Amino acid sequence: MSVEKIDTLIVGGGQAGLALSEHLSKRGVPHLILERHRIAERWRSERWDSLVANGPAWHDRFPGMEFSNFDPDAFASKEHIADYFVSYARWIAAPVRCRVEVKDVRRKIGGPGFRVETSEGLVEANNVIAATGPFQRPLIPALIPKDAGFLQMHSNAYRNPDQLPEGSVLVVGAGSSGVQIADELMRAGRRTYLSVGPHNRPPRSYRGLDFVWWLGVLGKWEAQHVEKGKEHVTIAVSGANGGQTVDFRRLADAGMTLVGMTTTFKDGVLTFAPDLADNIAMGDADFLSVLDEADAYAIRNGLDLPQDPEARQIGPDPACMTDPIRELDLTAAKVTTILWATGYQVDFGWLNVDTFDENGQPKHQRGISEEPGIYFLGLPWLSRRGSSFIWGVWHDAKFLADQIVTQRSYLAHHHSPLRKNVTSRT
Ligand SMILES: Cc1cc2nc3c(=O)[nH]c(=O)nc-3n(C[C@H](O)[C@H](O)[C@H](O)COP(=O)(O)OP(=O)(O)OC[C@H]3O[C@@H](n4cnc5c(N)ncnc54)[C@H](O)[C@@H]3O)c2cc1C
């Protein structure tokens, strides 16, 4: 069987794989990207129909290319984003081979590098980069048995309201996905319950500037560690409907029923934690702290920005907050669908190398794994808060390309004839 040889193999042709390809090409490193579907496939087929970027087009992009024919302050649709990456791949002449799945990677026996089994044959590579996404396998908590009589769907499989059976919907999880999907379902006339956990909800814009700008100048995208105790705090933002601040009270006023964290299920009845008001208060505190920090930044830097006192007005608590539902008989409430917007797990079943902890989590430092030659890219918090986002992964990719070049130069030294002369003389 013939074996294809390549210096560096990138697994995954999403934004992470393309960013690394750009940096490797600039540094003259021969490489290949294998993508099991199409470029930026997850944006095309693993997101709901109406999804738009959470950040404006001037921000949610790579530094080298703008979105063509698109208002930079608007929010690109998922198709626009996928098309952007296809154009980008063309622009940087990325060596992408689509419809090839990497099935197994392991260290070569009796030689350097890795043996890679793909759906199209064998490849040998000195370096392998896992760029297979921050959000790989949908995570549904084991709370409600599969045969309980309700449609249970992860946000990853949700497309639009028409896809769901008639009836009310409980959306579990109020991060950006959950809150946007719940809003869409409510606007489509569904009775909607939203289970709200701890969250941050930055203002969509403040004093005329989008929150992505404020988080940027305040250095928050560069934060290197999740604050202690905030590991499970999600961020609720939305570019939908032109981009609006996520405001749970406004959603409740429009007819959504907010509930606390979903905790148990027994005999058709779901129980919710008594934490709704606390979770919303925590989101408010985060919201106001961003405004405070923004004001302080504006003063310190002498920015002449319009005042925005209305931003600080927080409406009265709705009844579902002051007198929260603690138990819901799903059948009595006509709930037919439970939509889990509860996040994702990693899935590195194809990567059989020694760099995972007992929970299957990759062990790495800024993407450099414990197995020399294996790298990770695009994971949440790989090096900083922005790592899994479009603008952040590009910078992590640059760092990894540097590391790969450095390692190549060490190996080149090892193989150099000069070194052989030196060693033969000693
Ligand atoms: C709902 C949602 C909304 C988001 N919105 C934004 C946003 O507005 N702005 C922003 O900056 N970020 C956003 N993100 C985060 C992030 O930008 C995306 O998740 C993005 O898709 C990550 O890109 P990636 O290249 O790291 O991974 P992916 O896009 O997941 O790409 C990985 C690729 O690897 C391929 N692959 C996997 N396994 C194999 C294998 N074994 N062999 C070959 N190929 C393989 C997959 O097919 C996939 O194409 C959002 C995420 C989600 C879930």
Side-chain angles (χ1 to χ4, degrees):
M1 192 192 282
S2 73
V3 178
E4 183 175 358
K5 298 196 180 193
I6 188 78
D7 183 82
T8 297
L9 179 71
I10 302 172
V11 186
Q15 62 206 33
L18 295 177
L20 184 60
S21 175
E22 177 177 2
H23 293 295
L24 290 177
S25 291
K26 281 185 186 153
R27 312 292 301 266
V29 179
H31 64 281
L32 172 68
I33 306 176
L34 295 182
E35 163 57 51
R36 64 182 169 192
H37 299 305
R38 295 171 293 180
I39 290 172
E41 181 66 39
R42 295 217 214 258
W43 285 107
R44 286 224 194 273
S45 58
E46 296 190 30
R47 309 276 190 257
W48 62 95
D49 297 344
S50 65
L51 176 71
V52 298
N54 291 325
W58 66 262
H59 184 263
D60 281 20
R61 65 175 176 87
F62 285 167
M65 195 171 115
E66 296 181 0
F67 279 80
S68 59
N69 303 321
F70 199 78
D71 174 1
D73 288 318
F75 301 89
S77 71
K78 68 183 188 74
E79 289 298 329
H80 259 102
I81 297 173
D83 290 345
Y84 172 88
F85 287 120
V86 171
S87 306
Y88 204 89
R90 211 174 294 129
W91 182 59
I92 61 169
V96 191
R97 207 174 290 162
C98 289
R99 312 267 175 218
V100 183
E101 181 167 4
V102 170
K103 294 185 171 290
D104 185 76
V105 172
R106 57 189 69 221
R107 194 159 266 295
K108 247 171 71 188
I109 298 165
F114 300 91
R115 179 189 181 277
V116 181
E117 201 185 305
T118 82
S119 53
E120 302 284 313
L122 286 180
V123 177
E124 280 179 11
N126 296 327
N127 304 302
V128 175
I129 291 83
T132 48
F135 307 119
Q136 298 173 12
R137 195 196 297 159
L139 180 70
I140 296 186
L143 267 181
I144 307 181
K146 283 200 178 94
D147 59 0
F150 311 98
L151 173 66
Q152 296 191 59
M153 177 184 277
H154 191 269
S155 56
N156 173 271
Y158 170 76
R159 293 293 166 269
N160 55 58
D162 293 341
Q163 177 196 18
L164 307 185
E166 292 280 302
S168 309
V169 184
L170 166 68
V171 179
V172 183
S176 300
S177 295
V179 88
Q180 290 178 34
I181 292 171
D183 193 17
E184 174 166 281
L185 290 166
M186 181 180 67
R187 286 169 191 254
R190 297 297 182 120
R191 173 100 214 252
T192 308
Y193 297 83
L194 178 61
S195 175
V196 181
H199 59 270
N200 288 335
R201 55 169 199 103
R204 178 71 262 176
S205 72
Y206 182 54
R207 301 183 68 178
L209 289 158
D210 195 272
F211 92 95
V212 298
W213 189 88
W214 284 114
L215 265 56
V217 295
L218 294 172
K220 293 186 184 287
W221 296 126
E222 300 301 314
Q224 290 181 8
H225 305 286
V226 196
E227 256 178 79
K228 232 182 159 23
K230 294 211 163 175
E231 294 82 0
H232 301 293
V233 177
T234 183
I235 182 165
V237 290
S238 173
N241 307 304
Q244 290 168 354
T245 299
V246 171
D247 180 345
F248 290 99
R249 293 176 182 81
R250 189 179 51 76
L251 291 171
D253 289 346
M256 193 179 292
T257 304
L258 309 175
V259 290
M261 294 270 281
T262 304
T263 50
T264 54
F265 175 80
K266 197 167 177 247
D267 301 330
V269 177
L270 261 185
T271 310
F272 306 106
D275 60 357
L276 177 63
D278 285 350
N279 293 335
I280 290 183
M282 178 187 181
D284 294 344
D286 168 71
F287 174 88
L288 292 169
S289 77
V290 174
L291 304 192
D292 291 345
E293 286 188 57
D295 285 342
Y297 180 91
I299 292 169
R300 205 165 50 247
N301 292 283
L303 299 187
D304 183 19
L305 297 173
Q307 294 299 325
D308 195 354
E310 273 180 30
R312 291 185 179 272
Q313 285 169 16
I314 289 182
D317 291 347
C320 61
M321 258 178 87
T322 51
D323 185 17
I325 296 177
R326 295 289 315 284
E327 287 187 344
L328 187 66
D329 181 325
L330 294 177
T331 308
K334 299 193 173 57
V335 172
T336 52
T337 304
I338 296 147
L339 215 146
W340 299 96
T342 35
Y344 296 80
Q345 282 172 314
V346 291
D347 181 1
F348 289 113
W350 53 273
L351 188 50
N352 290 302
V353 295
D354 188 15
T355 189
F356 295 97
D357 67 14
E358 59 283 4
N359 300 317
Q361 296 300 314
K363 290 196 271 184
H364 69 87
Q365 210 191 4
R366 292 186 71 180
I368 303 167
S369 85
E370 294 195 351
E371 176 83 57
I374 298 287
Y375 300 86
F376 296 96
L377 183 61
L379 297 177
W381 292 92
L382 186 101
S383 74
R384 66 193 97 176
R385 185 175 182 177
S387 286
S388 56
F389 300 113
I390 296 171
W391 66 95
V393 77
W394 193 88
H395 297 282
D396 283 348
K398 191 162 185 273
F399 172 78
L400 281 195
D402 280 346
Q403 296 303 309
I404 291 167
V405 168
T406 304
Q407 288 302 321
R408 274 166 57 88
S409 68
Y410 280 123
L411 288 173
H413 175 74
H414 167 76
H415 294 305
S416 89
L418 187 65
R419 185 183 167 278
K420 276 192 193 126
N421 290 340
V422 172
T423 43
S424 61
R425 265 191 273 124
T426 53

